[in-house]
Amino acid sequence: MNGNPDDRLRRREVYEEELRAKPGSRWPNNKIRSIVAHLARLDAVDWLASSAQDGTPDRAGPGPGQQSNGEREVEDRVRPADQVSLIAEAMTTGTWPRITGELDRVTPHPTVVRGELAKHGWCDLLVGMIWTIELVNGPLNKLAEMPATLIKDAILTSSMQGGRPHVSEPVVDLVVGEVWRAFKATTFGGIPLLDLLTNEEALRALRILAVFICPEPSKHPEVRRYALKPLGEDVHHVLNEQTEARLAELFVEWLP
């Protein structure tokens, strides 16, 4: 996920050169919006790479059952890059084979549905998960009490749903059921490294995943509002100041 830092630097330089070649405008064209969204992605990848290399963990705390005994407690460190990778793996490994195996049961157009889900279906699912976690007041084990309805609504009411006519409610029920079940198992019991994942960390990881997986964040308002903008406001400064300023100039989601 982190990629090569030299490659990222070269891509950033290409994007910056393209921006210099285009005149600025309060209502810029779609190409400029797309470039700035790609720069935001690079910021997130750079931040994840930095978090994996430096000596300061995103979260530190005693592991389950550890005793201090008057000595410094051993610290568990789960860096943001690991959080994102582990959650992504848990949500995809095993779930997609089960989903594809069941599509024939819920739709007469399984092949078409697979293609339509790629039209912002997965990032809408992540937006719905973000909505749901934002409602959790306390530890993530309260997710067990949260229904999947909010996630389903995020997909079915998305501004992108018009381009997915075959992604019906039964299809959404199937997809959300499998992925939400896997995520809940991961965040409180399935993977020991993530047992103590906080609400804030889960949201940050899902927001980064949504920005990464979205085919075009510059054309997806929900991803900008619920994933990209909060990353810009994150206390850990996932996006740099220049990118944040450009996003504020380009997209209505940043208007006061």
Side-chain angles (χ1 to χ4, degrees):
M1 184 177 291
N2 291 342
N4 185 296
D6 292 333
D7 288 343
R8 295 199 303 272
L9 180 59
R10 283 192 290 269
R11 287 165 61 194
R12 187 178 294 276
E13 289 172 346
V14 169
Y15 289 142
E16 292 289 351
E17 181 60 31
E18 289 187 63
L19 289 178
R20 285 191 291 270
K22 296 179 178 294
S25 168
R26 180 60 186 172
W27 305 108
N29 62 33
N30 289 334
K31 177 64 174 177
I32 293 177
R33 293 173 186 262
S34 178
I35 291 171
V36 173
H38 286 311
L39 285 170
R41 278 177 169 159
L42 284 177
D43 285 353
V45 178
D46 284 342
W47 183 81
L48 286 175
S50 176
S51 75
Q53 295 169 2
D54 65 31
T56 304
D58 190 58
R59 172 184 58 77
Q66 292 176 340
Q67 302 294 327
S68 63
N69 296 322
E71 300 177 357
R72 181 179 177 85
E73 293 178 330
V74 177
E75 292 179 332
D76 288 334
R77 287 179 169 84
V78 184
R79 302 188 190 282
D82 297 324
Q83 295 167 9
V84 173
S85 295
L86 288 169
I87 290 175
E89 181 179 354
M91 289 171 54
T92 55
T93 302
T95 59
W96 182 241
R98 288 195 296 271
I99 290 170
T100 55
E102 289 289 307
L103 276 179
D104 287 337
R105 177 178 61 81
V106 298
T107 176
H109 310 286
T111 302
V112 176
V113 165
R114 291 186 188 97
E116 289 187 0
L117 284 171
K119 298 178 180 179
H120 298 274
W122 301 111
C123 38
D124 274 333
L125 182 146
L126 289 167
V127 166
M129 294 173 68
I130 291 166
W131 284 5
T132 303
I133 294 174
E134 286 178 338
L135 291 178
V136 173
N137 184 19
L140 281 180
N141 58 18
K142 287 194 173 184
L143 286 176
E145 306 167 9
M146 302 299 291
T149 305
L150 290 173
I151 307 173
K152 298 173 186 177
D153 288 346
I155 298 173
L156 294 172
T157 65
S158 168
S159 61
M160 298 293 158
Q161 180 62 7
R164 307 186 295 248
H166 296 91
V167 179
S168 61
E169 189 166 350
V171 170
V172 173
D173 283 341
L174 169 64
V175 172
V176 171
E178 291 290 344
V179 175
W180 187 229
R181 187 181 307 112
F183 177 78
K184 289 193 294 184
T186 297
T187 52
F188 55 91
I191 298 179
L193 283 175
L194 296 178
D195 277 347
L196 299 180
L197 194 71
T198 67
N199 184 301
E200 176 189 352
E201 290 166 338
L203 283 170
R204 183 184 301 115
L206 289 172
R207 285 165 178 155
I208 290 173
L209 283 171
V211 171
F212 284 172
I213 202 172
C214 184
E216 187 58 83
S218 65
K219 297 179 181 178
H220 195 163
E222 289 85 359
V223 165
R224 295 197 304 269
R225 179 178 177 185
Y226 294 102
L228 195 54
K229 189 172 189 287
L231 289 176
E233 299 168 344
D234 193 287
V235 295
H236 292 283
H237 308 292
V238 177
L239 306 185
N240 69 42
E241 292 183 2
Q242 185 179 45
T243 300
E244 182 67 10
R246 285 167 166 167
L247 290 168
E249 177 70 17
L250 297 173
F251 297 105
V252 297
E253 287 79 13
W254 274 259
L255 291 176

